[in-house]
């Protein structure tokens, strides 16, 4: 194998394929990145057996070939080089030449032992604009669990029903639902949130708008954007019926300015850091919202904000990060707390008719 290309372009392509290489595998070969050059096109692959990513980049071909090298080493090297580089293999090594005098070499790994890229020939495909896809992911992935002891809740439910595609994320203490209109048949599956987030990041790296194709076959899903394909296994398990936990009526509606509330929480939460849940107490009373927090050996904080209330007064407590997360992902100037009592889930409405955010209060003594 021998080809030349711009170091920056190669670095970007390696970075995309490298997203599938976790470094946690006990199999050393899975720390490698697959490079295959043919017809002036370099194909790069990364995998940890659960997720596989393939992308391509144009190059100037001299000799067709395939190699496997350590992903981190070649990625770090490309990040420190500029201009055109020449990549070639001789014997048991892969060489990178930059300029007339700079040559770097890495040992080849056994490419014959590297797994083939999965083929997903789905009958039906979903097409989404990168803007729609990014919106669906951004508004739900932050609500997913990060604890691998409950793998199902580290995923996002993708559901298509009655002309609507819905993404749902939950860690069982909060629930984020984002929907958009779509023309497709019915579908339901749970996809790892981190995979969807990586696709979102890849989409945002393109300078031009892209279309994301989604195809599902049995227990695998393939997402394609531009020259990049991502295949991952679906998460096993039955996702809870999220519709059953959406409250239908409320005894209090309180509107507050989003940015003002976000700034207050950012300060007050400093005094609840000793608490596992960074709990803040909220007292809705007479068109005022008082927010307090306290921590052992830290002290306490109390701030107040105007709110437009409709309904009963209420004292309630929340995990501050659950409130702050949805504020960060909301564009509206005003958000509305829709609540019933201090023990049942409520809704934080950001004015988006296609988004629902449900959060469970924290019980405090």
């Amino acid at each position: 194998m021998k080809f030349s290309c711009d170091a920056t372009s190669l670095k970007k392509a390696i970075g995309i394929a490298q997203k599938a290489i976790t470094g946690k595998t006990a199999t050393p070969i899975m720390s490698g990145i697959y490079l295959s050059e043919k017809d002036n096109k370099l194909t790069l692959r990364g995998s940890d057996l659960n997720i596989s990513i393939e992308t391509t980049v144009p190059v100037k071909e001299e000799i067709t070939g395939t190699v496997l090298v350590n992903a981190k080493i070649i990625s770090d090297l490309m990040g420190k080089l500029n201009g055109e580089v020449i990549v070639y293999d001789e014997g048991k090594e892969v060489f990178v030449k930059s300029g007339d005098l700079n040559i770097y070499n890495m040992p080849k790994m056994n490419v014959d032992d590297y797994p083939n890229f999965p083929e997903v020939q789905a009958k039906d495909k979903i097409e989404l604009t990168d803007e729609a896809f990014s919106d669906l992911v951004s508004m739900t992935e932050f609500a997913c669990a990060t604890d691998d002891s409950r793998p199902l809740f580290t995923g996002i439910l993708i559901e298509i029903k009655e002309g609507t595609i819905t993404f749902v994320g939950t860690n069982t203490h909060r629930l984020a639902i984002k929907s958009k209109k779509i023309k497709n048949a019915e579908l339901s599956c749970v996809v790892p949130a981190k995979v969807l987030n990586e696709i979102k990041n890849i989409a945002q790296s393109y300078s031009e708008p892209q279309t994301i194709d989604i195809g599902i076959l049995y227990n695998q899903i393939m997402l394609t954007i531009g020259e990049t394909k991502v295949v991952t296994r679906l998460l096993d398990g039955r996702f809870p019926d999220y519709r059953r936990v959406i409250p239908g009526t409320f005894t209090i509606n309180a509107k507050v300015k989003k940015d003002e509330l976000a700034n207050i929480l950012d300060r007050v939460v400093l005094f609840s850091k000793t608490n596992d849940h960074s709990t803040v107490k909220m007292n809705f009373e007479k068109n005022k919202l008082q927010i307090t927090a306290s921590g052992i050996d830290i002290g306490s904080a109390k701030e107040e904000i105007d709110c437009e209330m409709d309904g009963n007064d209420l004292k309630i407590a929340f995990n501050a990060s659950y409130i702050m997360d949805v504020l960060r992902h909301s564009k509206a100037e005003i958000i509305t707390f829709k609540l019933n009592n201090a023990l049942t889930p409520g809704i934080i409405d950001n004015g988006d008719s296609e988004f629902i955010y449900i959060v469970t209060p924290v019980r405090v003594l």
Side-chain angles (χ1 to χ4, degrees):
M1 180 187 74
K2 187 176 183 180
F3 64 87
S4 60
C5 68
D6 178 70
T8 302
S9 298
L10 183 54
K11 165 68 176 177
K12 180 180 178 180
I14 291 172
I16 290 174
Q18 195 178 15
K19 293 180 185 295
I21 304 171
T22 61
K24 298 179 181 179
T25 177
T27 307
I29 198 167
M30 302 312 295
S31 65
I33 189 164
Y34 172 101
L35 308 175
S36 182
E37 199 290 321
K38 185 178 181 182
D39 298 330
N40 294 312
K41 183 171 71 175
L42 179 69
T43 299
L44 305 94
R45 294 177 187 164
S47 176
D48 71 352
L49 298 180
N50 289 312
I51 174 175
S52 299
I53 299 179
E54 178 182 277
T55 192
T56 62
V57 62
V59 298
K60 297 177 183 177
E61 173 192 337
E62 292 191 38
I63 302 173
T64 297
T66 301
V67 298
L68 187 72
V69 295
N70 184 280
K72 186 178 187 308
I73 293 176
I74 193 169
S75 176
D76 290 347
L77 175 61
M78 288 303 149
K80 300 180 184 299
L81 299 179
N82 295 304
E84 187 177 72
V85 295
I86 299 173
V87 182
Y88 59 98
D89 69 311
E90 288 184 1
K92 296 182 179 181
E93 293 181 306
V94 174
F95 294 82
V96 176
K97 185 177 180 181
S98 175
D100 295 330
L101 301 175
N102 304 323
I103 299 178
Y104 313 88
N105 63 293
M106 298 158 278
K108 287 197 293 188
M109 305 170 76
N110 189 352
V111 70
D112 294 333
D113 292 338
Y114 198 72
N116 293 326
F117 192 78
E119 290 296 330
V120 179
Q121 301 295 334
K123 294 181 180 179
D124 298 314
K125 289 186 178 181
I126 307 162
E127 287 190 1
L128 290 171
T129 64
D130 55 356
E131 182 180 11
F133 181 86
S134 294
D135 196 22
L136 287 162
V137 175
S138 294
M139 297 305 294
T140 52
E141 63 89 15
F142 69 88
C144 295
T146 56
D147 183 357
D148 288 334
S149 65
R150 299 181 300 172
L152 181 66
F153 296 112
T154 64
I156 292 175
L157 171 69
I158 300 178
E159 182 181 77
I160 301 176
K161 194 173 184 179
E162 298 177 353
T164 300
I165 183 168
T166 302
F167 279 34
V168 183
T170 184
N171 65 358
T172 72
H173 299 293
R174 58 174 168 174
L175 177 69
I177 307 166
K178 179 66 179 178
S179 301
K180 290 187 180 293
K181 295 298 181 182
I182 193 172
K183 296 179 181 179
N184 277 93
E186 293 191 357
L187 169 70
S188 181
C189 64
V190 183
V191 184
K194 63 180 181 180
V195 174
L196 296 177
N197 196 48
E198 290 295 0
I199 291 290
K200 181 193 73 174
N201 293 337
I202 292 170
Q204 292 173 347
S205 71
Y206 284 87
S207 57
E208 299 293 331
Q210 300 290 318
T211 298
I212 297 173
D213 293 331
I214 304 174
I216 296 174
L217 183 66
Y218 303 117
N219 66 339
Q220 290 186 312
I221 183 171
M222 175 182 282
L223 301 101
T224 305
I225 176 169
E227 298 297 321
T228 300
K229 297 178 182 179
V230 179
V231 176
T232 189
R233 295 176 183 173
L234 301 175
L235 294 175
D236 293 328
R238 185 178 180 85
F239 204 84
D241 184 357
Y242 61 91
R243 294 178 182 83
R244 294 180 59 185
V245 300
I246 301 175
T249 58
F250 308 94
T251 60
I252 175 175
N253 289 269
K255 296 181 179 181
V256 298
K257 293 180 179 179
K258 184 198 72 174
D259 290 343
E260 191 175 348
L261 176 61
N263 290 334
I264 289 176
L265 287 172
D266 200 36
R267 293 187 293 267
V268 172
V269 76
L270 296 174
F271 293 84
S272 64
K273 290 298 185 183
T274 57
N275 188 304
D276 289 341
H277 300 291
S278 294
T279 301
V280 294
K281 298 177 182 179
M282 295 184 168
N283 182 15
F284 295 89
E285 184 178 6
K286 298 178 181 178
N287 290 319
K288 297 286 185 180
L289 168 58
Q290 186 183 87
I291 303 171
T292 60
S294 61
I296 299 173
D297 298 328
I298 293 180
S300 63
K302 178 174 70 174
E303 292 203 34
E304 193 172 83
I305 183 176
D306 291 330
C307 68
E308 184 182 325
M309 284 180 56
D310 176 17
N312 305 327
D313 295 344
L314 177 65
K315 292 181 179 179
I316 194 169
F318 288 108
N319 181 332
S321 64
Y322 291 176
I323 308 299
M324 296 167 76
D325 281 345
V326 73
L327 298 183
R328 291 190 194 100
H329 288 82
S330 298
K331 299 177 182 179
E333 294 182 0
I334 302 294
I335 65 108
T336 304
F337 286 87
K338 298 182 176 181
L339 308 167
N340 286 304
N341 57 60
L343 300 178
T344 58
I347 284 179
I348 299 177
D349 186 347
N350 69 352
D352 181 352
S353 61
E354 296 180 323
F355 177 69
I356 300 173
Y357 185 70
I358 303 168
V359 59
T360 301
V362 175
R363 296 192 180 200
V364 294
L365 299 177

